[in-house]
Amino acid sequence: MRKLAVFATFLVLAVLTAAAFGALHDQISYTVSNEYFTKFKFFQFHLLDPEVPERLRAATVGVLASWWMGIPLGLLAGAAGFLQPTASQMLKALLLSLAVITGFTLLVALAGLVYGYSRTTNLDLHNYGGWFIPQNLVQPRNFICAGYMHNSAYLGGVLAIPVAWAFHIYYRRWAVTRGA
C-alpha cells in the first residue's frame, strides 16, 4: 500500500517537473529564437497579450506544452519504482530517476539544437515543407534550430522512459550490494 502512495506522489511530481522543464526549456529556446514564439507559439497557444512580458509568455508556452508529458513519464518510469524492495527505497530511486529523466531530456533537447545548427549551415527553407515557417522571418536559421530543439525534447522524453528503467535496475543492484 505504501508503494502505491509513493507511485501516486511520483506521478504528481512528474507532471510538475515536466511543466517546470517546459518553462526552463522555452527560456533557452526563446534565447535561440524569439521569433519562434512571437511568430508561432504565442499564436498557437493564444498568448497574444502584449502587456504580458514575452519571457513570461514563453514560460507559459513551455508549461502548457509540456505538463502532459509528466503523465506517461510518471506512469511508465514510475512503474519501474516497483522494482525496489521497499517503499522508502522506491521513493529514493524515483526521486533520483526524476533528476535522471530531466537531465537526459535536456541533453537530448540540446543535442537537437546542435543538430539543427549543423543541418542549417546552408539553409534552404524549401527543405522544411512540413514545418510551419512564417513569412518575414529575420533569423530563419534560429527559428528552425528552435524547432529542432523542441522536437528533440519530446524525443528525449520518450527515450527517458527506458533510461529510467535501466536506472532502476542499476539502483536496485547497487542498493543490494550496499545492503541498503
Side-chain angles (χ1 to χ4, degrees), residues 10-169:
F10 178 76
L11 183 56
V12 171
L13 288 174
V15 170
L16 294 173
T17 301
F21 175 88
L24 170 65
H25 173 277
D26 280 8
Q27 292 306 302
I28 297 168
S29 55
Y30 180 89
T31 302
V32 171
S33 174
N34 67 332
E35 289 180 300
Y36 189 76
F37 293 89
T38 61
K39 295 183 178 181
F40 177 36
K41 289 295 181 181
F42 293 163
F43 290 94
Q44 183 183 24
F45 285 90
H46 308 288
L47 296 170
L48 302 173
D49 183 356
E51 298 296 315
V52 178
E54 288 182 358
R55 286 278 185 182
L56 181 57
R57 286 188 279 160
T60 303
V61 167
V63 169
L64 294 173
S66 301
W67 71 267
W68 64 271
M69 276 297 289
I71 296 171
L73 282 167
L75 291 171
L76 299 173
F82 287 103
L83 294 174
Q84 307 311 324
T86 67
S88 64
Q89 285 177 321
M90 180 181 180
L91 178 61
K92 287 177 195 173
L94 285 171
L95 291 175
L96 288 171
S97 74
L98 200 52
V100 169
I101 290 167
T102 304
F104 179 82
T105 304
L106 182 59
L107 284 176
V108 173
L110 293 174
L113 177 61
V114 170
Y115 177 76
Y117 275 115
S118 72
R119 292 266 308 160
T120 59
T121 53
N122 297 313
L123 182 61
D124 180 2
L125 290 178
H126 293 20
N127 293 335
Y128 295 91
W131 290 46
F132 172 76
I133 302 177
Q135 298 296 316
N136 304 320
L137 287 174
V138 176
Q139 296 180 319
R141 182 180 188 203
N142 289 1
F143 183 94
I144 296 291
C145 290
Y148 273 114
M149 184 178 175
H150 274 256
N151 294 343
S152 297
Y154 288 110
L155 175 64
V158 169
L159 294 176
I161 295 166
V163 168
W165 273 85
F167 171 81
H168 278 277
I169 291 167

